[in-house]
Each structure stands twice: as structure tokens, then as C-alpha cells.
């Protein structure tokens, strides 16, 4: 079965260091990651030295170092601390927090009124901190003002209208006790923002149709909608590349032709990938050229 990113994060979150190291070394890749197929198979069979030899020479230095530390007999926690960059720790741990938050947002929007209620969290405009919404403020606030906390290892979930559900989801993802903060290569309070808006509203939105440069693009149907680049852009254009089947594209693909260019601003803590996901109804991972599962290499 495919190893999900949050499964690695959950192992780190609860201090299951041996499991976390094994999952990092054996996480499945898509077909685009076939270059690591032999190494992953070796790691799964416990042949760490062989797996190290089969890893690509570039782009997998962290995995090679992790395997080397384990071959030398170092404890899994020390191997993880030595070989895995702090940004990778944050990526795995953050995936657990974000998944729990996503479930809590769905529950907030489907099981509670779609309007602010007393006890919801909001940003305090004067202090910049999170605080509870007061009863006399209900008429002046909207859903885009409401926050839900992002859980972090070793920290209690702040009191809010969705706390019980968020805690329940979090315990399903990480059923064990949280690992001590000293085990992590950063302060847990810096892992993620304290809270995030349940509804994001982009500002300063503008768009135009331009001629794509010789770089990565997200596949779309602008040509089918009758949208063509301007005459000026056409003079500089080359024949369009043949469209690929499927939504993922390889890093070697380059496209030319009309392209939709978006510009917008977001409040703090918001994700541009989330805006693209809503706009194009696609997974945010589709917007990174040739991503596949190769983003798990380090």
C-alpha cells in the first residue's frame, strides 16, 4: 500500500522513530519515481546498504545519509535528527496538522450554522493575536473572519467551537502520546501558524490571457473556449506542443500557446495552492511541474 505523507508525520508526532525512518525509506513513488524503485525494494527487504547504492546520485542525499546512519547502528531518532532536514520534518508533521484541520473545517461548515457563533476564534486587529468572538460582534463578522486552530505536537488545542471534533480527529491520526518537543529540530510553535481562516477570500484579483513562455503550465481548455493570444503575442509564438493525456506532466514537457495568468493577494496563513485548487477543481499537487511523488525525496 502507498505510504501517505501524514503516516510518516504521525510516526514522528508520536515518537515512533523506527517506524518513521522505515516509512521514509520505503514510501512508494509514482511511475515518475521509477528511478528509485530498486532502492525502495531493497529498503523494504531490509538491505539498507544495497538500497543506498541504488539511490540516484543527486537529489536523495538525505535518504542515503539516513540509511547510512542506520547501517552504522545509530538509534533511529539520532539518525533522523542527523539526516533529515528540518524542512522535511516540518513537511511531514504539518501534513498531520493540516489533515486534521481540513476535517474540522468540513465539520464546522456542515454541522454548525454557516455564520459566526459566539466562541469562534478571530484575529484581534489591534494585538494580532487570536481571540474569541464576542456575542455583540456577531453581526459585524462573516465566515471569512472565523479561524480554526492548527494543532501542533505537544500543545493543547485552544478552546473554540470546533475543539472537540478537532481533538477527536487528531487522536485518530496520532493515537499515541506526543513526542517531547526536544526531539524535534525546531520549536513546535514555529511549525505552523496558530490558526487559519476557514474561508479564504483572495483580494486584488486580476487575470489576463498571455502567451506562455517555454516553461511548465497547468493544462486547461482556453483554446477550446475560443480564447486566443493577442496578435503581438502570436508573432512571438511557436507551434503549440501536443497535449498530453492525463493531468500530470513530466518535468521535460514544455508548452507554448495561450495561458491564463492570475494575480491575487491573500491574508496571512492562506495558500495560493488552495485558490488554484478551487479554481480548477484539481489537486494542488497538480500545479507543481512533474511533482508526482518525487517531492518525498530529500
Amino acid at each position: 500500500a502507498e505510504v501517505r505523507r501524514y503516516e510518516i508525520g504521525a510516526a514522528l508526532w508520536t515518537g515512533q522513530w523506527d517506524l518513521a525512518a522505515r516509512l521514509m525509506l520505503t514510501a512508494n513513488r509514482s511511475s515518475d519515481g521509477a528511478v528509485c524503485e530498486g532502492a525502495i525494494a531493497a529498503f523494504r527487504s531490509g538491505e539498507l546498504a544495497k538500497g543506498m547504492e541504488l539511490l540516484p546520485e543527486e537529489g536523495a542525499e538525505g535518504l542515503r545519509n539516513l540509511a547510512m546512519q542506520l547501517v552504522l547502528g545509530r538509534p533511529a531518532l539520532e539518525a533522523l535528527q542527523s539526516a533529515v532536514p528540518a524542512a522535511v520534518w516540518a513537511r511531514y508533521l504539518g501534513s498531520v496538522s493540516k489533515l486534521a484541520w481540513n476535517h474540522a473545517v468540513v465539520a464546522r461548515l456542515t454541522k454548525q450554522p454557516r455564520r459566526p457563533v459566539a466562541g469562534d476564534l478571530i484575529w484581534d486587529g489591534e494585538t494580532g493575536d487570536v481571540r474569541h468572538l464576542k456575542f455583540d460582534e456577531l453581526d459585524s463578522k462573516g465566515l471569512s473572519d472565523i479561524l480554526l486552530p492548527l494543532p501542533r505536537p505537544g500543545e493543547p488545542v485552544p478552546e473554540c467551537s470546533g475543539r472537540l471534533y478537532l481533538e477527536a480527529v487528531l487522536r485518530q491520526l496520532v493515537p499515541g502520546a506526543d513526542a517531547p518537543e526536544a526531539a524535534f529540530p525546531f520549536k513546535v510553535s514555529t511549525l505552523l501558524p496558530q490558526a487559519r481562516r476557514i474561508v479564504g477570500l483572495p483580494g486584488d484579483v486580476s487575470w489576463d490571457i498571455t502567451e506562455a513562455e517555454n516553461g511548465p503550465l497547468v493544462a486547461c481548455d482556453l483554446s477550446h473556449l475560443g480564447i486566443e493570444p493577442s496578435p503581438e503575442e502570436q508573432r512571438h509564438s511557436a507551434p503549440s506542443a501536443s497535449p498530453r493525456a492525463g493531468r500530470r506532466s513530466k518535468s521535460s514537457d514544455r508548452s507554448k500557446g495561450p495561458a491564463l495568468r492570475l494575480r491575487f493577494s491573500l491574508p496571512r496563513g492562506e495558500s495560493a495552492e488552495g485558490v488554484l485548487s478551487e479554481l480548477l477543481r484539481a489537486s494542488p499537487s497538480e500545479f507543481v511541474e512533474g511533482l508526482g511523488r518525487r517531492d518525498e525525496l530529500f
Side-chain angles (χ1 to χ4, degrees):
E2 183 180 5
V3 176
R4 304 292 182 178
R5 182 179 291 180
Y6 73 84
E7 293 176 324
I8 302 176
L12 293 172
W13 194 297
T14 54
Q16 300 179 72
W17 312 122
D18 291 300
L19 175 60
R22 185 169 69 252
L23 290 176
M24 286 186 191
L25 292 173
T26 61
N28 290 347
R29 267 68 178 181
S30 67
S31 58
D32 288 341
V35 66
C36 296
E37 184 177 351
I40 294 171
F43 288 143
R44 285 182 186 155
S45 64
E47 300 176 276
L48 298 182
K50 180 180 178 181
M52 291 167 51
E53 296 177 358
L54 295 176
L55 283 171
E57 294 183 1
E58 297 182 357
E61 292 81 4
L63 287 177
R64 182 177 290 103
N65 190 12
L66 176 59
M68 174 63 75
Q69 300 294 328
L70 296 175
V71 167
L72 294 176
R74 296 190 66 181
L77 174 56
E78 293 183 13
L80 290 166
Q81 291 172 331
S82 173
V84 181
V88 176
W89 280 75
R91 187 170 71 206
Y92 287 133
L93 291 168
S95 66
V96 177
S97 180
K98 293 173 183 177
L99 180 58
W101 185 90
N102 287 341
H103 281 284
V105 168
V106 172
R108 172 63 178 83
L109 295 176
T110 57
K111 298 181 180 181
Q112 297 187 42
R114 294 192 178 184
R115 55 177 173 76
V117 297
D120 277 335
L121 297 178
I122 61 172
W123 291 113
D124 190 308
E126 295 183 359
T127 65
D129 295 327
V130 173
R131 68 172 177 83
H132 291 98
L133 180 65
K134 301 176 182 178
F135 184 81
D136 58 5
E137 297 175 311
L138 293 178
D139 293 337
S140 62
K141 300 296 182 181
L143 276 179
S144 60
D145 297 305
I146 304 308
L147 312 171
L148 271 181
L150 284 157
R152 297 184 287 207
E155 295 186 0
V157 176
E159 183 65 44
C160 63
S161 59
R163 178 181 64 84
L164 293 179
Y165 189 86
L166 185 55
E167 288 180 336
V169 173
L170 188 62
R171 291 283 69 86
Q172 290 179 356
L173 297 174
V174 284
D178 294 357
E181 183 175 4
F184 303 127
F186 45 68
K187 291 185 177 180
V188 170
S189 60
T190 65
L191 175 60
L192 289 167
Q194 185 179 1
R196 178 179 290 173
R197 286 179 172 85
I198 65 173
V199 175
L201 296 178
D204 306 317
V205 179
S206 65
W207 63 275
D208 62 342
I209 302 298
T210 184
E211 178 68 15
E213 298 296 335
N214 198 22
L217 284 177
V218 178
C220 59
D221 294 328
L222 294 180
S223 297
H224 293 282
L225 296 175
I227 300 175
E228 300 294 343
S230 66
E232 177 66 22
E233 292 165 341
Q234 287 180 341
R235 285 197 292 270
H236 298 287
S237 65
S240 299
S242 299
R244 282 175 48 85
R247 288 163 56 191
R248 291 194 187 273
S249 56
K250 295 182 179 179
S251 58
S252 60
D253 290 341
R254 293 295 181 265
S255 301
K256 288 187 176 182
L260 174 66
R261 178 169 55 190
L262 294 172
R263 294 184 177 91
F264 52 86
S265 59
L266 292 170
R268 61 177 176 175
E270 301 300 316
S271 168
E273 288 183 343
V275 176
L276 294 177
S277 176
E278 288 295 318
L279 177 68
L280 299 179
R281 295 294 188 270
S283 168
S285 64
E286 302 293 340
F287 304 109
V288 180
E289 186 76 3
L291 176 65
R293 291 281 301 192
R294 287 180 291 178
D295 59 333
E296 303 304 332
L297 294 179
F298 58 89

